[in-house]
Amino acid sequence: MDSKRKNNKYIYISLISEIFLLSFNPVGLLAQQNEYADSLFNRLDETNKPEEKFKIFLLIKDIYQDEDFEKAMQYARLALMEAQNSDLMKEEAEAYFNIGYLFEDEEDYNKATENYRKAYDIYSDLDDDKGIADISFNLADVYKKKGYYQLSMEKCLEGISIYEDLNDSEGMSNVYNCMGSLYKYQDNTAKSIEYYNKSLELRKALNDLDGVALCYN
């Protein structure tokens, strides 16, 4: 094991010890969370399987995602360390994806981009087309929010090409919606409506009511 892996392992052990102490404090997490959270912590304490630990860390991250950024980030980073320590490359990419999403949600677009790119590089090494397309869309979304419309469009085109090959309607609808916004911001109303309508038709076919409402908006 190289020095980086060893350091990750020691940090991982330290972090999980600290978080478990907080989690089982009667005035901490378990006093506030439901039975689902209890079962996740029990499963985490019982399993020695890296893949299962990784999934549980991300499930716990989901619990905190909308209410406690710092706690959600701690579990996302624990998932990343679990993947790195166990040489789980696809899971490592997924962890970077989740970390990037948390930063994007906090409007820290530079850190979001940094982590999305790390995920993109791993998915590229693995020839994981679905992963590449998903990260391309997320990067397009971040670039759009930063006002980098040309970069955003380039990532949209990369993503849509892969999604079309995969026949991934949900992915295509997301990219079309992003493209509609890009054209809107550049005052190209006709193109904007064209791509919003493309997204709308796919969302209708998927019975995605939230997505349909978004397109109409």
Side-chain angles (χ1 to χ4, degrees):
M1 183 182 295
D2 60 30
S3 60
K4 181 179 178 182
R5 298 285 186 188
K6 287 181 179 178
N7 287 338
N8 277 347
K9 185 173 182 180
Y10 296 144
I11 295 170
Y12 166 83
I13 293 170
S14 177
L15 270 175
I16 195 170
S17 298
E18 177 183 345
I19 293 173
F20 262 63
L21 286 173
L22 290 172
S23 300
F24 287 98
N25 187 309
V27 295
L29 171 66
L30 290 185
Q32 304 170 29
Q33 297 299 333
N34 56 22
E35 185 176 339
Y36 174 60
D38 292 344
S39 68
L40 289 176
F41 284 113
N42 288 335
R43 285 169 55 193
L44 189 60
D45 195 38
E46 293 168 358
T47 186
N48 291 316
K49 297 178 180 178
E51 294 90 344
E52 187 173 1
K53 282 187 175 181
F54 173 83
K55 291 177 181 177
I56 294 170
F57 283 138
L58 289 187
L59 288 172
I60 298 173
K61 181 271 302 180
D62 290 343
I63 294 174
Y64 289 111
Q65 185 158 308
D66 295 328
E67 60 185 58
D68 190 332
F69 168 78
E70 294 298 334
K71 190 69 76 173
M73 184 60 73
Q74 283 181 317
Y75 281 102
R77 292 194 184 284
L78 282 171
L80 174 62
M81 290 180 187
E82 186 67 46
Q84 290 176 330
N85 292 335
S86 303
D87 293 319
L88 302 172
M89 289 187 65
K90 187 169 184 177
E91 284 79 0
E92 183 177 354
E94 186 179 350
Y96 279 125
F97 181 101
N98 277 271
I99 291 170
Y101 188 86
L102 287 171
F103 279 124
E104 182 180 356
D105 202 40
E106 287 291 299
E107 300 183 0
D108 189 337
Y109 299 134
N110 289 334
K111 288 184 179 178
T113 300
E114 177 186 341
N115 284 277
Y116 284 150
R117 284 175 175 166
K118 289 178 180 179
Y120 181 92
D121 289 343
I122 296 173
Y123 282 131
S124 297
D125 289 341
L126 294 172
D127 292 322
D128 186 327
D129 288 340
K130 170 67 172 170
I132 293 170
D134 288 343
I135 292 294
S136 293
F137 165 70
N138 279 68
L139 282 169
D141 191 49
V142 170
Y143 290 144
K144 178 189 71 177
K145 291 171 179 174
K146 293 179 71 174
Y148 300 158
Y149 299 145
Q150 183 60 39
L151 282 174
S152 181
M153 184 61 76
E154 289 173 7
K155 282 299 176 183
C156 281
L157 294 174
E158 181 179 3
I160 200 66
S161 176
I162 299 172
Y163 282 136
E164 286 174 347
D165 288 342
L166 296 175
N167 197 27
D168 186 330
S169 295
E170 182 178 2
M172 287 189 289
S173 70
N174 288 334
V175 175
Y176 285 144
N177 189 77
C178 185
M179 293 173 73
S181 295
L182 289 171
Y183 283 119
K184 178 181 70 174
Y185 297 150
Q186 297 174 81
D187 297 320
N188 191 334
T189 304
K191 279 286 188 181
S192 177
I193 291 174
E194 175 187 345
Y195 280 94
Y196 281 141
N197 275 322
K198 285 185 176 184
S199 180
L200 175 62
E201 292 308 310
L202 287 170
R203 293 182 191 277
K204 283 180 176 178
L206 292 167
N207 197 31
D208 177 5
L209 299 183
D210 289 338
V212 168
L214 177 66
C215 290
Y216 279 129
N217 183 56

